[in-house]
């Protein structure tokens, strides 16, 4: 048997095994997960390290345990499920995503990458396929960053991009620290082996819904992701002085909300550009004391800035603080950059691997950058990384109306399987 | 004895009785009340119909009961304390204010008028002065409107300005209805006689801290209030669509917060005027889902508009809705006027009564309108009404730093006593 025929045997192995991806099992598990933290309109609210997150972890573990996969958790709660390989001491190939959601999130964002990863392990079992390297499924802690900012904490800490200590003191809106929520989560999941940070990984491939409209518009089933745009996250805190709404002349007020409005207007002017490529979002604004007849003494808001070009990201982001200071009306303004990441371009061999897997399976694909960031952004720092996108209805995401077709979810899982089997046998 | 000497006897009676106002008792009671709902920086958070409000009611009742005053409560929780008169069947003269506070309120707003009212009853007891008419002290429910909007609900319902049914369904930020909070409050205060709405009142005089800087600046101890500026309160609700902050182009967003910012900017332009007389406040702004990386689908804000001239109030207020609609960016905007009141001018005889009482006591006074609204605004509709202002430090109010001098509080209570005794004997 020469090299070529060996290669073609492996390829046909992965194509054959991909047929064991089970559409009903994959879909039903999405629906079971969606019941945890369900909100009106088919949505999901499953905040990082919440009781719902714990319930989702337990459900995933129950499925993995039924297959006797190895289960472990690291110090920030990243959950690892291993299907071992013929050479178990080798670095694994890894797949996965996250199980936390936005407060008004959907049924597919993140959880699809986790359930697709479990699905391919089971499909390989049923196909009787052994791989040379182990395959690890990971569920990253707190990708969304909506309860504890910033997002992607789990993958940042695992990859050594940021130390755990940086995040332990971060508080949610109720004043609960990440440290406490993490301790509660770890305590709720006993009998779980412990996993180290920064263990070697041979390659990482993450499946995800696109969260944008391009695949649907082009009629492609598979998005071959070429990289991820960079981002900069800021918190802006405005401090003024509380005063009586009926007695205090406007010219004497130190109105924190009016300064926040002036800052946002000035930032809108700063970020305006013709191509509409830059993403600029004020997603969060908290006013104190937030009562109709008191001039607000405090207003705090978030800024989420993204662009595929590092030069633009630097130029605009570096002007945020000065823009806010100039707009300030008799208040104090404090601008803090809480997270940043340069745009990343995936390793071309990984992009090719995903594209070729789709081709072998006869699935129409297109190359595209990712508008959203993902844990893959950080894994890219420590190993060859790629992503598989599947379409979502009208591109809607971070919204209860988020939807995806069962056939598309299966297609993505099959591409993921074919890609990972190749990488695990390399 | 002719009419004149009778008059002068009464006058000297009230001057003599006013010396029984006890500075320490009045101050210490302020400090006891301030301990209920105390917040950092000497502030108070005592929301209407909260556990703190109930505790304040019980404390007031304990003081009143020790003097064997009659205690009663009406259907919206307004609390009445009566010191009877020589002709108990006559309509009483009434004084009082409110015990609820802003979320970040001070130790004097409202509660001063209640404690000053109790103080003068006790001073009259100690001076051995009987009045012809009963004197009623009232603690109005929910003047602030910060937990349940709008404010002044208690006096509005008592005076028949609005029916109780209009307010029973109003919810606080936790979804608790006024109806439920009221039932809890009434149940917590048993053995309290029931009081009707709209009972006849001969005259109403309310003591209050100024909540503005004029008395302090002019060196006057007593503000003789000539009337209250009118107000219009609006709620603006903007509905957009949640979307992913990383993938959704700005030109396609239906960003509810950005529309709210555009509305507020447009309203700022609308209300601009050279005299700085108009009061315009966005005190409250709630964003949904309020997470950094989701385009907000909803933003709701309050508008508090006040002016002493009804013509201005109508012209500007009537443009609020159109201004918001014009500013709207791909969202839906709903503007609701939740409360309104024309400016009021107090009965000249009442203004004279307060001014003359200050003069008899040798206290420097000045006439002034009230920038804040008060329950007196509604009492003015059903009986001759006046107000007594005392200075507060730097005019600061609706702020934990709110402060007042014990001597000024005593001076205001003495003027209140002298005024009420004249009215109660008329």
């Amino acid at each position: 048997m020469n090299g070529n025929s060996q290669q073609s045997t492996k390829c046909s192995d992965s194509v054959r095994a991909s047929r064991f991806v089970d559409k009903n099992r994959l879909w039903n598990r999405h629906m079971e997960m969606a019941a945890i933290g369900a909100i009106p309109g088919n949505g999901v609210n499953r905040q990082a390290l919440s009781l719902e997150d714990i319930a989702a972890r337990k459900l995933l573990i129950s499925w993995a345990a039924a297959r006797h996969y190895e289960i472990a958790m690291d110090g920030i709660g990243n959950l690892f499920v291993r299907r071992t390989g013929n050479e178990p001491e080798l670095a694994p190939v890894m797949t996965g995503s996250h199980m936390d959601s936005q407060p008004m999130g959907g049924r597919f964002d993140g959880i699809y990458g986790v359930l697709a990863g479990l699905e391919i392990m089971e499909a390989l079992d049923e196909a009787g396929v052994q791989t040379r390297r182990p395959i690890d499924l990971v569920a990253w802690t707190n990708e969304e960053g909506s309860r504890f900012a910033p997002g992607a904490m789990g993958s940042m800490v695992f990859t050594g991009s940021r130390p755990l200590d940086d995040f332990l003191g971060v508080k949610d809106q109720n004043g609960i620290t990440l440290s406490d929520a993490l301790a509660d989560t770890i305590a709720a999941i006993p009998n779980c082996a412990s996993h180290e940070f920064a263990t070697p990984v041979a390659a990482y491939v993450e499946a995800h819904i696109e969260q944008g409209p391009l695949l649907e518009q082009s009629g492609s089933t598979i998005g071959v992701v070429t990289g991820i745009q960079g981002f900069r996250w800021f918190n802006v805190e405005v401090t003024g002085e509380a005063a009586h709404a009926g007695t205090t002349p406007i010219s004497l007020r130190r109105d924190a909300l009016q300064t926040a409005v002036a800052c946002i207007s000035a930032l809108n002017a700063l970020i305006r550009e013709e191509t509409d490529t830059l993403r600029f979002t004020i997603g969060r604004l908290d006013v104190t004391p937030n009562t109709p007849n008191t001039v607000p003494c405090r207003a705090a808001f978030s800024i989420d800035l993204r662009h595929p070009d590092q030069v633009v990201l630097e130029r605009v982001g570096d002007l945020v603080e000065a823009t806010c200071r100039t707009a300030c009306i008799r208040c104090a303004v404090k601008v803090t950059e809480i997270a940043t990441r340069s745009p990343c371009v995936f390793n071309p061999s990984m992009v090719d691997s995903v594209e070729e897997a789709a081709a072998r399976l006869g699935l129409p694909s297109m190359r595209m950058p990712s508008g959203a960031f993902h844990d893959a952004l950080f894994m890219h720092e420590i190993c060859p990384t790629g992503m598989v996108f599947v379409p979502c209805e009208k591109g809607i995401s971070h919204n209860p109306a988020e939807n995806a077709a069962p056939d598309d979810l299966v297609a993505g899982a099959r591409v993921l399987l074919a890609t990972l089997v190749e990488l695990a046998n390399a």
Side-chain angles (χ1 to χ4, degrees), chain A:
Chain A
M1 211 183 261
N2 65 22
N4 273 351
S5 69
Q6 235 183 3
Q7 179 67 23
S8 79
T9 306
K10 276 193 229 150
C11 284
S12 61
D13 244 20
S14 68
V15 170
R16 185 183 63 80
S18 77
R19 300 203 183 97
F20 285 82
V21 168
D22 183 323
K23 182 161 78 171
N24 287 332
R25 179 169 58 197
L26 184 58
W27 181 259
N28 291 339
R29 283 182 174 166
H30 278 87
M31 296 307 108
E32 278 191 71
M33 279 290 183
I36 302 172
I39 59 171
N42 280 334
V44 171
N45 178 8
R46 198 161 51 229
Q47 295 300 299
L49 307 175
S50 65
L51 293 177
E52 291 77 18
D53 186 359
I54 290 169
R57 287 161 186 265
K58 286 184 171 173
L59 184 57
L60 180 69
I61 288 171
S62 74
W63 290 328
R67 290 281 183 175
H68 304 291
Y69 299 144
E70 298 162 31
I71 298 158
M73 194 151 58
D74 70 14
I76 193 166
N78 295 318
L79 189 62
F80 298 86
V81 174
R82 171 164 294 194
R83 181 177 188 270
T84 197
N86 290 330
E87 299 181 39
E89 73 289 352
L90 289 183
V93 295
M94 190 181 277
T95 186
S97 190
H98 60 95
M99 304 206 289
D100 67 316
S101 80
Q102 288 288 314
M104 294 179 65
R107 299 171 295 170
F108 303 96
D109 177 2
I111 195 70
Y112 170 58
V114 173
L115 295 178
L118 184 66
E119 180 59 37
I120 67 157
M121 289 181 173
E122 302 200 55
L124 290 174
D125 283 359
E126 288 164 10
V129 172
Q130 290 301 314
T131 56
R132 183 170 161 251
R133 295 177 181 272
I135 297 178
D136 275 9
L137 164 65
V138 60
W140 301 111
T141 293
N142 187 29
E143 192 270 349
E144 294 292 357
S146 46
R147 179 179 178 195
F148 298 104
M153 275 186 189
S155 51
M156 276 199 267
V157 171
F158 177 79
T159 58
S161 164
R162 292 278 290 271
L164 177 56
D165 280 354
D166 276 14
F167 298 135
L168 290 175
V170 174
K171 289 180 183 168
D172 70 7
Q173 290 186 59
N174 297 319
I176 299 170
T177 60
L178 182 97
S179 175
D180 286 347
L182 185 56
D184 288 350
T185 301
I186 290 171
I189 301 168
N191 308 321
C192 191
S194 74
H195 198 286
E196 297 298 303
F197 296 139
T199 52
V201 179
Y204 177 77
V205 185
E206 179 169 351
H208 208 282
I209 57 167
E210 181 199 346
Q211 308 185 281
L214 298 179
L215 288 174
E216 192 178 72
Q217 283 174 6
S218 72
S220 295
T221 308
I222 299 296
V224 178
V225 183
T226 54
I228 301 179
Q229 67 182 347
F231 68 88
R232 298 178 74 173
W233 275 25
F234 301 86
N235 282 342
V236 181
E237 185 173 12
V238 182
T239 306
E241 187 171 58
H244 192 292
T247 58
T248 317
I250 290 173
S251 64
L252 297 179
R253 294 182 180 189
R254 300 179 57 220
D255 186 326
L257 177 54
Q258 286 287 356
T259 280
V261 166
C263 289
I264 294 169
S265 298
L267 291 166
N268 284 341
L270 170 70
I271 60 95
R272 203 161 289 148
E273 34 114 59
E274 282 187 11
T275 62
D276 203 13
T277 307
L278 193 140
R279 304 282 181 264
F280 168 74
T281 307
I282 312 292
R284 186 164 170 176
L285 174 59
D286 296 307
V287 178
T288 307
N290 210 32
T291 177
N293 50 355
T294 298
V295 175
C297 60
R298 181 178 176 276
F301 63 91
S302 63
I303 298 174
D304 177 323
L305 190 70
R306 309 192 201 195
H307 200 277
D309 183 343
Q310 177 67 9
V311 173
V312 177
L313 211 53
E314 280 181 12
R315 179 177 56 76
V316 176
D318 289 353
L319 286 169
V320 165
E321 182 163 359
T323 303
C324 291
R325 290 200 183 286
T326 304
C328 180
I329 310 158
R330 293 181 296 278
C331 289
V333 173
K334 186 179 164 195
V335 177
T336 312
E337 184 158 6
I338 61 162
T340 183
R341 201 75 191 168
S342 301
C344 94
V345 177
F346 289 151
N347 188 321
S349 73
M350 292 297 290
V351 177
D352 291 346
S353 290
V354 173
E355 193 171 51
E356 286 161 18
R360 283 202 303 280
L361 294 167
L363 292 165
S365 74
M366 69 181 283
R367 291 188 173 217
M368 59 193 303
S370 172
F373 68 75
H374 298 284
D375 296 298
L377 183 57
F378 298 94
M379 288 303 286
H380 169 72
E381 298 290 312
I382 66 160
C383 69
T385 290
M387 287 192 78
V388 179
F389 274 176
V390 295
C392 61
E393 198 175 298
K394 295 179 191 163
I396 293 171
S397 187
H398 286 195
N399 187 314
E402 183 182 274
N403 201 13
D407 283 338
D408 289 339
L409 298 178
V410 166
R414 293 180 70 201
V415 172
L416 184 66
L417 183 149
T419 309
L420 284 173
V421 167
E422 298 308 307
L423 292 165
N425 287 331

Coordinates of all heavy atoms in Angstrom, one line a residue, chain A residues 19 25 37 55 84 86 88 99 101 149 155 166 173 177 180 198 210-211 224 244 256-257 307 320 324 342 348 413:
Chain A
R19 N -21.3 9.8 7.8 CA -22.7 9.4 7.5 C -23.4 9.0 8.8 O -24.6 8.9 8.9 CB -22.8 8.3 6.5 CG -22.2 8.7 5.2 CD -22.8 7.9 4.0 NE -22.1 8.4 2.8 CZ -21.0 7.7 2.2 NH1 -20.6 6.6 2.8 NH2 -20.5 8.2 1.1
R25 N -30.6 13.0 16.8 CA -29.9 13.1 18.0 C -29.3 14.5 18.2 O -29.5 15.1 19.3 CB -28.7 12.1 18.1 CG -27.9 12.1 19.4 CD -27.0 10.9 19.5 NE -26.1 10.8 18.4 CZ -25.4 9.7 18.0 NH1 -25.6 8.6 18.7 NH2 -24.6 9.7 17.0
G37 N -32.7 27.4 30.8 CA -32.6 28.9 30.7 C -33.5 29.4 29.6 O -33.3 30.5 29.0
A55 N -26.4 23.4 35.1 CA -27.3 22.4 34.6 C -26.9 21.9 33.2 O -26.9 20.7 32.9 CB -28.8 22.9 34.6
T84 N -10.3 9.0 23.4 CA -8.9 8.7 23.3 C -8.5 8.2 21.9 O -9.4 7.9 21.1 CB -8.4 7.8 24.4 OG1 -7.0 7.8 24.5 CG2 -8.9 6.3 24.1
N86 N -5.4 6.0 19.3 CA -4.5 4.9 19.3 C -3.2 5.2 20.0 O -2.5 4.3 20.5 CB -4.3 4.4 17.9 CG -5.5 3.7 17.3 OD1 -6.4 3.2 18.0 ND2 -5.7 3.8 16.0
P88 N -2.5 7.5 22.7 CA -3.1 8.5 23.7 C -2.1 9.5 24.3 O -2.6 10.5 24.8 CB -3.7 7.5 24.8 CG -3.0 6.2 24.6 CD -2.6 6.1 23.2
M99 N -21.1 27.1 26.1 CA -22.5 26.8 26.4 C -23.2 28.0 27.1 O -24.4 28.0 27.3 CB -22.5 25.6 27.4 CG -21.8 24.4 26.8 SD -22.4 22.8 27.4 CE -21.8 22.9 29.1
S101 N -24.8 31.9 27.1 CA -25.5 32.6 26.1 C -25.6 34.1 26.5 O -25.3 34.4 27.6 CB -26.9 32.0 25.9 OG -27.8 32.6 27.0
A149 N -17.6 40.6 32.3 CA -16.9 41.1 31.1 C -15.4 41.0 31.4 O -15.0 41.2 32.5 CB -17.3 42.5 30.8
S155 N -11.0 30.6 27.2 CA -10.0 30.4 26.2 C -8.8 31.3 26.4 O -7.6 30.9 26.2 CB -10.5 30.5 24.8 OG -11.2 31.7 24.6
D166 N -6.4 37.8 36.8 CA -6.9 39.0 36.2 C -8.4 39.1 36.3 O -9.0 40.2 36.3 CB -6.5 39.1 34.7 CG -5.2 39.7 34.5 OD1 -4.4 39.8 35.5 OD2 -4.8 40.1 33.3
Q173 N -23.6 42.1 37.7 CA -24.4 43.2 38.0 C -25.0 43.1 39.4 O -25.4 44.1 40.0 CB -25.6 43.4 37.0 CG -25.1 43.8 35.7 CD -26.2 44.2 34.7 OE1 -27.1 45.0 34.9 NE2 -26.2 43.5 33.6
T177 N -18.7 38.0 42.6 CA -17.4 37.9 41.8 C -17.3 36.7 41.0 O -17.9 35.6 41.3 CB -16.2 37.9 42.8 OG1 -16.3 36.8 43.6 CG2 -16.1 39.2 43.6
D180 N -16.3 33.7 43.2 CA -17.3 33.0 43.9 C -18.2 32.2 43.0 O -18.5 31.0 43.3 CB -18.2 34.0 44.7 CG -17.5 34.6 45.9 OD1 -16.4 34.0 46.3 OD2 -18.0 35.6 46.4
A198 N -3.0 25.4 29.3 CA -1.9 25.4 28.3 C -1.3 24.0 28.0 O -0.1 23.9 27.7 CB -0.8 26.4 28.8
E210 N -23.1 31.1 11.7 CA -22.4 32.2 11.1 C -22.7 33.5 11.9 O -21.8 34.4 12.0 CB -22.8 32.4 9.7 CG -22.2 33.6 9.0 CD -22.9 34.1 7.7 OE1 -23.7 33.3 7.2 OE2 -22.6 35.2 7.2
Q211 N -23.9 33.7 12.4 CA -24.4 34.9 13.0 C -24.4 36.1 12.1 O -24.3 37.3 12.6 CB -23.5 35.2 14.3 CG -23.4 34.1 15.2 CD -22.6 34.4 16.5 OE1 -21.4 34.4 16.5 NE2 -23.3 34.6 17.6
V224 N -16.2 28.5 5.2 CA -14.8 28.2 5.6 C -14.1 29.5 6.1 O -13.9 30.4 5.3 CB -14.0 27.7 4.3 CG1 -12.6 27.4 4.6 CG2 -14.8 26.4 3.7
H244 N -31.7 67.9 42.4 CA -33.1 67.9 42.2 C -33.5 68.3 40.9 O -33.1 69.4 40.4 CB -33.7 68.8 43.3 CG -35.2 68.6 43.5 ND1 -36.1 69.0 42.5 CD2 -35.9 68.1 44.5 CE1 -37.3 68.8 42.9 NE2 -37.3 68.2 44.1
A256 N -24.6 63.3 34.7 CA -23.8 62.2 34.1 C -24.4 61.6 32.9 O -23.7 61.2 32.0 CB -23.5 61.2 35.2
L257 N -25.7 61.5 32.9 CA -26.4 60.9 31.7 C -26.3 61.8 30.5 O -26.0 61.3 29.4 CB -27.9 60.6 32.0 CG -28.6 60.0 30.8 CD1 -28.0 58.8 30.2 CD2 -30.1 59.7 31.2
H307 N -13.0 45.6 13.9 CA -12.6 45.9 12.5 C -11.6 44.8 12.0 O -10.8 44.3 12.8 CB -12.0 47.3 12.3 CG -12.0 47.8 10.9 ND1 -11.1 47.4 10.0 CD2 -12.9 48.6 10.3 CE1 -11.4 48.0 8.8 NE2 -12.5 48.8 9.0
V320 N -10.8 57.1 21.4 CA -12.0 57.0 22.2 C -11.9 57.9 23.5 O -12.8 58.6 23.8 CB -12.3 55.5 22.6 CG1 -13.3 55.4 23.8 CG2 -12.8 54.7 21.4
C324 N -14.3 61.2 24.3 CA -15.2 61.3 25.5 C -14.8 62.5 26.4 O -15.7 63.2 26.9 CB -15.1 60.0 26.3 SG -15.8 58.6 25.5
S342 N -6.0 41.8 18.3 CA -5.8 42.1 16.9 C -6.5 41.2 16.0 O -6.8 40.0 16.5 CB -4.3 42.0 16.6 OG -3.5 42.9 17.5
P348 N -3.2 28.9 6.7 CA -3.8 28.5 5.4 C -4.0 27.0 5.3 O -5.0 26.6 4.7 CB -2.7 29.0 4.4 CG -2.0 30.1 5.0 CD -2.0 29.8 6.5
A413 N -21.5 19.5 11.1 CA -20.9 18.4 11.9 C -20.2 17.4 11.1 O -19.1 16.9 11.5 CB -22.0 17.7 12.8

